[in-house]
Amino acid sequence: MLNQSAPPLPGPDSLLALAFPSDPQISPDGRRAAFVLARIEEEDPQKVDSGFARPRYKSHIWLAENGSAQQLTRGEGRDTSPRWSPDGTTLAFVRDGKLHLLPLGGGEAQRITDFAGAVQDLQYSPDGRFLTFFSAGDDEDKRDERGEARIITRPRYRFNGRDWLPERSARLWRYDLQQHELSEWLAPTVEVTGYAWQPDSQGVLLVSSADELRATQWQQEVYRLGLSGIPEQLTRWNSAITAVIPHPDGQRFALVGRPEGKGSPENTHLFLVEPGGSWQRLDRDHDHPVGNLVGGDCHVGALPDRPAWLDGQTLLFSSTVRGSCGLFRITLDGTVTAHDHDPQAVVPSFTARGGGVALIRERADRFPEVELNGTTVTDLHARLPFVARTPGRGTFHNELGAGEGWVLLPDGDGRVPAVLSIHGGPHTDYGHAFMHEFQLFAARGYGVCYSNPRGSAGYGQAWVDDIHGRWGDPDMADLLNFFDRCLEAHPRLDGERSAIMGGSYGGYMTNWITGHTARFGAAITDRSICNLLSFGGTSDIGLRFWDDELGLNFHRSADTLKLWELSPLKHVENVQTPTLIVHSVLDHRCPIEQAEQWYAALTLHGVPTRFVRFPGEDHELSRAGRPDRRLVRLQEYLAWLEQWLKVSAPEAKVEALR
């Protein structure tokens, strides 16, 4: 017989073969779509360092029509943010932070700006006269470079993904396409988080806060800005607003947000605001959040999902329903119907106009693809260097009813180590999105179990609310209940060789659970929380977050003992589980001081621990971090699992740490 060797197991470098779609933009006539495709290549192909690879994201604009897609822009940089002119003849886009205009009838792209600051959030006025965007212009902050002191007087001064916030908020600029003139339109005193042109092209609606303190409390309002003049406040909303969508009549508008008095546990919903400021919730009978909250790790780039008016009576929006996300229509009388909802898929991004829809769709066993009017125009799944596995669904029960989760098993019949993974949020979802990380673990011989315990989105408001004020109680019960059901339903899973892992809130739960049980042989805690008291004063959302989630806050003496009781650090002396700690230096959502405290405490208690710190990365490392750092992260994960779950002799485990 011929000797046939098995194919090599895929490794973290399988990530390098993938291309990531984002920002699908439908044309005004609804027949074409522009989108961004990011790939991973060597930073400078002319200067390759054989001893130190530098894989980086590079992206181009692609154009889809007639059932297929072709590359539209080329170069070695990053082309992003394609936006159609109203007549469909020109595509605006951003190349390495600079605004460009590309005539689609032929010709080279023309650069419009040369600011030091990047251009963001391009929008054409409906009449095609203006192209607007936000930018800091030529403002540059060189205080760190010069070694200067920072004088801080504002409540918000650092933010995840941006590091130090600028002294001045980004300004709204207006480029007159007829006069070829660029001018500053608005210099806001408080950052504008979103805007949209009104149908008559006489101005825009802005989302911002009355002052910086209200901004830290997620208290936002809608303002109208005319072509000349100052913003006029239209609402007394006093709560979070994530999108504003002017009605075709130019008088009313819809918004996505939460009403006053409702914090982050409240699902986002659709509201219609009348000219006088009165409002009504449109989706009052739809007990699911607006937008996609199902996590995936193949989302590199912008994923717009702002609702769109199909006509004066109907709004198209996306919504998370259990572990899926699809498109739904809602009429002004509140009737919600499915427009394009596959319960086994996720639509993380879409745009709609001119009777057409461009979107991205993915499944747990299918890489994200771009679709135009129901036709898939990419074949990115073919780039996957291993066969994707299909997870099996499982359930668990609690006093609220049935919850669900999934198990991704390796090929074969033998017993395999079992890994319990916990999502972040906590008000997000695991589900039918493609997870390269899970597929990689399964290909390497691990069974991956993941679920949506109480607190997860997509299962109704009561499911979300049940962990309010009591993190670590109902959610821990659900997670371990589901894991036990997995072990019972799948005899191949070896409960004696098990690991627990999670990121953000999932990292908090990993720390919490290992402080309350020693059943797991290994733990991986990523961008985690361990001390709720110090988190309150160091996180970019800390001034408000615990009020919303727990009804407590670090600056009130009456709450401090309760926050400490809910902190994993309070229970660290019970931890026996060997723990890998992964964290990014520029993570301002869950600051690195949390990882430093956990590492110090585990070390003092003699728990086998390894701490991996990533420079230049923030809270998004696992999903959109620099490719070489994403590879190292996955290598560290696999090495830790291999060390503690596949080495049977205790002596070998001890020796491996030396």
Side-chain angles (χ1 to χ4, degrees):
M1 296 179 63
L2 296 175
N3 290 324
Q4 294 182 339
S5 58
L9 293 176
D13 60 354
S14 58
L15 184 75
L16 302 178
L18 306 180
F20 307 93
S22 65
D23 212 352
Q25 293 289 328
I26 193 73
S27 63
D29 63 5
R31 299 171 59 185
R32 296 175 291 171
F35 62 92
V36 178
L37 193 61
R39 68 203 185 283
I40 302 174
E41 292 186 0
E42 187 65 23
E43 184 175 41
D44 186 346
Q46 305 302 319
K47 298 179 181 179
V48 179
D49 185 344
S50 59
F52 182 46
R54 297 176 182 270
R56 300 292 187 269
Y57 296 115
K58 297 180 181 180
S59 57
H60 291 138
I61 311 297
W62 285 61
L63 181 65
E65 58 183 332
N66 300 323
S68 63
Q70 295 80 35
Q71 186 173 330
L72 189 62
T73 66
R74 302 182 184 277
E76 293 300 327
R78 296 192 69 172
D79 295 342
T80 62
S81 306
R83 297 295 183 267
W84 293 88
S85 63
D87 62 6
T89 63
T90 304
L91 203 66
F93 69 98
V94 176
R95 171 170 289 167
D96 297 329
K98 317 298 183 186
L99 172 61
H100 288 68
L101 295 178
L102 178 65
L104 295 179
E108 295 295 320
Q110 175 190 6
R111 188 173 67 188
I112 302 301
T113 66
D114 198 23
F115 292 142
V119 166
Q120 304 174 63
D121 203 351
L122 306 180
Q123 293 190 35
Y124 277 96
S125 61
D127 63 5
R129 179 182 174 185
F130 297 111
L131 180 57
T132 51
F133 57 87
F134 278 94
S135 176
D138 286 323
D139 290 357
E140 291 187 274
D141 187 348
K142 295 187 176 182
R143 281 174 291 182
D144 287 352
E145 180 183 328
R146 295 168 178 163
E148 297 178 11
R150 285 185 176 271
I151 310 301
I152 295 167
T153 59
R154 297 178 300 164
R156 292 192 309 170
Y157 54 92
R158 300 189 91 171
F159 202 80
N160 187 68
R162 299 167 63 186
D163 201 15
W164 294 108
L165 293 177
E167 288 296 309
R168 291 203 300 167
S169 298
R171 275 91 71 204
L172 180 61
W173 299 79
R174 191 170 67 194
Y175 181 65
D176 190 321
L177 292 152
Q178 296 176 0
Q179 303 298 323
H180 307 291
E181 293 178 352
L182 179 63
S183 59
E184 184 180 295
W185 190 5
L186 176 69
T189 56
V190 181
E191 182 177 30
V192 173
T193 59
Y195 80 109
W197 274 94
Q198 293 185 280
D200 62 3
S201 298
Q202 294 304 300
V204 294
L205 300 184
L206 308 169
V207 177
S208 188
S209 299
D211 54 53
E212 287 284 353
L213 185 58
R214 286 186 175 89
T216 68
Q217 300 299 302
W218 307 329
Q219 296 171 355
Q220 296 175 300
E221 305 295 345
V222 176
Y223 300 81
R224 178 189 292 116
L225 175 66
L227 294 179
S228 60
I230 60 175
E232 170 196 1
Q233 185 172 334
L234 300 181
T235 61
R236 293 292 183 270
W237 195 254
N238 205 34
S239 188
I241 299 172
T242 58
V244 59
I245 314 99
H247 188 273
D249 66 13
Q251 302 300 310
R252 299 172 287 177
F253 57 87
L255 65 80
V256 179
R258 305 179 181 98
E260 184 174 1
K262 301 292 185 180
S264 55
E266 180 78 5
N267 288 332
T268 53
H269 290 292
L270 287 165
F271 300 87
L272 184 67
V273 182
E274 300 292 342
S278 63
W279 55 269
Q280 61 173 312
R281 177 179 157 188
L282 287 177
D283 59 341
R284 49 193 173 272
D285 297 322
H286 186 69
D287 194 17
H288 300 285
V290 174
N292 174 47
L293 295 172
V294 185
D297 62 359
C298 294
H299 300 158
V300 177
L303 297 171
D305 62 354
R306 186 168 69 183
W309 290 103
L310 300 181
D311 53 46
Q313 295 294 315
T314 310
L315 193 64
L316 184 68
F317 69 102
S318 62
S319 181
T320 300
V321 178
R322 302 183 71 81
S324 70
C325 180
L327 301 184
F328 296 82
R329 296 189 305 272
I330 186 167
T331 53
L332 295 183
D333 64 2
T335 302
V336 176
T337 56
H339 178 85
D340 183 355
H341 176 221
D342 180 349
Q344 306 297 316
V346 169
V347 175
S349 182
F350 82 98
T351 57
R353 193 162 47 158
V357 178
L359 57 82
I360 295 173
R361 193 190 311 270
E362 60 187 312
R363 295 178 176 83
D365 57 1
R366 182 74 181 176
F367 194 80
E369 306 281 5
V370 179
E371 293 183 16
L372 172 60
N373 296 329
T375 299
T376 304
V377 296
T378 56
D379 189 16
L380 304 175
H381 187 84
R383 301 173 66 109
L384 192 68
F386 53 79
V387 176
R389 292 159 173 79
T390 302
R393 182 177 177 272
T395 60
F396 61 93
H397 291 81
N398 56 42
E399 51 266 41
L400 294 182
E404 68 176 343
W406 297 266
V407 180
L408 198 61
L409 288 171
D411 293 337
D413 300 318
R415 301 202 78 194
V416 297
V419 175
L420 173 63
S421 183
I422 309 170
H423 67 64
H427 313 307
T428 62
D429 255 9
Y430 273 149
H432 302 289
F434 187 86
M435 292 287 291
H436 169 265
E437 181 176 306
F438 291 175
Q439 292 285 345
L440 175 62
F441 292 163
R444 301 284 296 196
Y446 299 94
V448 185
C449 308
Y450 53 104
S451 67
N452 290 323
R454 277 170 285 181
S456 304
Y459 297 82
Q461 192 63 54
W463 192 267
V464 174
D465 289 342
D466 207 48
I467 68 168
H468 183 266
R470 54 187 193 134
W471 281 25
D473 181 7
D475 38 6
M476 175 175 166
D478 286 354
L479 289 162
L480 297 183
N481 184 3
F482 170 73
F483 191 59
D484 287 338
R485 302 291 79 73
C486 290
L487 297 178
E488 292 174 1
H490 302 276
R492 291 184 60 202
L493 293 174
D494 187 349
E496 297 300 313
R497 293 185 296 156
S498 64
I500 185 171
M501 64 175 63
S504 194
Y505 161 81
Y508 166 89
M509 287 304 300
T510 298
N511 298 343
W512 179 266
I513 290 173
T514 56
H516 288 78
T517 176
R519 66 177 292 179
F520 294 96
I524 302 176
T525 184
D526 200 326
R527 60 194 187 280
S528 74
I529 301 171
C530 72
N531 185 339
L532 274 58
L533 286 165
S534 63
F535 175 92
T538 56
S539 169
D540 62 358
I541 60 173
L543 298 185
R544 168 72 185 259
F545 193 62
W546 295 139
D547 279 308
D548 282 358
E549 294 293 332
L550 305 173
L552 307 168
N553 213 319
F554 74 104
H555 61 83
R556 294 190 290 264
S557 60
D559 295 347
T560 55
L561 290 179
K562 297 175 184 176
L563 286 170
W564 179 240
E565 186 64 37
L566 291 170
S567 297
L569 198 59
K570 160 76 162 53
H571 310 279
V572 69
E573 59 191 354
N574 301 322
V575 177
Q576 303 175 36
T577 310
T579 301
L580 173 66
I581 301 171
V582 177
H583 221 105
S584 297
V585 173
L586 296 181
D587 188 339
H588 298 311
R589 186 61 37 85
C590 296
I592 197 166
E593 57 91 16
Q594 296 284 314
E596 291 166 344
Q597 291 186 68
W598 196 239
Y599 176 71
L602 292 179
T603 299
L604 289 172
H605 284 284
V607 178
T609 309
R610 181 178 175 89
F611 183 11
V612 183
R613 297 167 59 105
F614 287 95
E617 295 294 337
D618 57 44
H619 202 63
E620 300 304 310
L621 168 63
S622 65
R623 297 173 280 245
R626 211 172 76 179
D628 54 336
R629 294 167 180 157
R630 291 182 69 177
L631 296 186
V632 172
R633 174 184 172 275
L634 291 171
Q635 289 164 359
E636 291 286 345
Y637 268 55
L638 288 170
W640 196 254
L641 294 175
E642 178 77 18
Q643 177 177 339
W644 295 100
L645 300 192
K646 290 194 174 181
V647 178
S648 57
E651 298 79 13
K653 293 183 180 181
V654 173
E655 183 63 31
L657 288 173
R658 293 174 182 167

